[in-house]
């Protein structure tokens, strides 16, 4: 079954398992709103499969993500995962340039200008400084899937939220979440 969105928890240079609660909340919100969502947990799979960082790591990543059954992919970015995020994006775009990639997470907020420059031609959206990510992701998926102009206003109405639409270098920003709740 084709997923509306697949979230990726990328590798990080740490050797302990952790629960990707943020991605789980996003996936649940998507499901609660009628979207099919899945999580590919590379960070924990790497540890559970007793892998080590060596020449086979990139091939392992490619095998894990080569058959993503979605046109929209959300990737969380943390400091320790940034080099792997860059590689994952390259693999996805080499496979299918039409897949939409959304980056979010702590490093996107902290390093938005740098990531804008780094991924300007490869990533479609950076979601920055979001308090209500569970609502943002649903509206962003609606926007991407429908391509209707009115949905951009739903996205733009989220408090303290910025979405960089990187493919056209447009900055989309708005102030009040109450407007979103009225739509």
């Amino acid at each position: 079954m084709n997923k509306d969105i697949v979230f990726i928890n990328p590798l990080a240079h740490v050797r302990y398992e952790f629960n990707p609660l943020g991605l789980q909340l996003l996936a649940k919100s998507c499901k609660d709103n009628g979207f099919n969502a899945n999580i590919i947990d590379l960070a924990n799979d790497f540890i559970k499969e007793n892998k080590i960082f060596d020449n086979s790591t990139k091939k392992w990543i490619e095998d894990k993500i080569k058959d993503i059954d979605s046109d929209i992919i959300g990737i969380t970015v943390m400091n320790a995962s940034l080099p792997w995020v860059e590689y994952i994006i390259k693999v996805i775009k080499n496979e299918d340039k039409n897949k939409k990639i959304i980056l979010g997470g702590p490093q996107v907020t902290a390093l938005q200008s740098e990531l804008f420059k780094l991924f300007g031609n490869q990533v479609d959206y950076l979601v920055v400084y979001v308090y209500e990510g569970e609502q943002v992701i649903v509206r962003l998926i609606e926007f991407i899937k429908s391509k209707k102009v009115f949905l951009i206003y739903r996205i733009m109405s989220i408090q303290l939220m910025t979405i960089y639409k990187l493919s056209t270098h447009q900055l989309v920003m708005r102030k009040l979440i109450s407007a979103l709740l009225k739509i």
Side-chain angles (χ1 to χ4, degrees):
M1 170 186 259
N2 192 0
K3 302 292 183 198
D4 292 304
I5 187 165
V6 171
F7 295 102
I8 298 176
N9 185 27
L11 288 178
H13 290 282
V14 294
R15 293 300 298 179
Y16 60 89
E17 290 184 46
F18 60 95
N19 196 356
L21 290 174
L23 292 182
Q24 291 172 349
L25 286 170
L26 294 176
K28 175 153 181 17
S29 180
C30 290
K31 290 174 185 176
D32 289 349
N33 285 278
F35 293 113
N36 294 318
N38 190 29
I39 299 173
I40 297 174
D41 191 350
L42 296 175
N44 288 316
D45 288 350
F46 195 76
I47 294 167
K48 288 175 186 172
E49 294 177 24
N50 206 23
K51 295 291 184 183
I52 60 170
F53 292 102
D54 62 14
N55 292 335
S56 68
T57 303
K58 288 183 177 181
K59 174 77 168 96
W60 180 85
I61 291 170
E62 292 168 17
D63 290 342
K64 289 285 189 174
I65 66 174
K66 70 179 176 185
D67 295 323
I68 290 177
D69 60 345
S70 178
D71 292 332
I72 305 172
I73 300 159
I75 306 171
T76 189
V77 182
M78 294 175 279
N79 193 29
S81 67
L82 189 57
W84 295 113
V85 169
E86 189 170 9
Y87 185 71
I88 290 165
I89 291 166
K90 179 182 172 186
V91 170
I92 291 168
K93 287 298 187 173
N94 282 341
E95 188 75 24
D96 185 348
K97 292 185 183 337
N98 295 318
K99 289 188 184 284
K100 302 295 181 199
I101 297 179
I102 303 166
L103 295 186
Q107 287 307 118
V108 175
T109 297
L111 299 173
Q112 56 191 281
S113 296
E114 290 82 359
L115 293 178
F116 187 87
K117 292 172 190 168
L118 181 64
F119 296 122
N121 295 324
Q122 302 163 331
V123 173
D124 299 286
Y125 301 92
L126 292 179
V127 181
V128 177
Y129 201 59
V130 178
Y131 284 103
E132 304 293 338
E134 299 83 50
Q135 292 178 357
V136 171
I137 196 64
V138 169
R139 302 301 173 239
L140 186 52
I141 293 168
E142 287 175 349
F143 171 69
I144 293 169
K145 287 187 151 300
S146 73
K147 297 184 175 50
K148 292 182 181 176
V149 175
F150 76 92
L151 286 174
I152 193 79
Y153 296 108
R154 288 187 183 179
I155 294 169
M156 290 170 53
S157 64
I158 295 170
Q159 181 180 18
L160 298 175
M161 195 262 319
T162 302
I163 294 175
Y164 287 105
K165 186 173 184 319
L166 295 179
S167 61
T168 58
H169 297 286
Q170 294 173 344
L171 175 63
V172 179
M173 198 160 72
R174 192 78 165 183
K175 300 172 193 147
L176 301 173
I177 200 163
S178 61
L180 172 67
L181 299 175
K182 293 176 186 175
I183 294 176

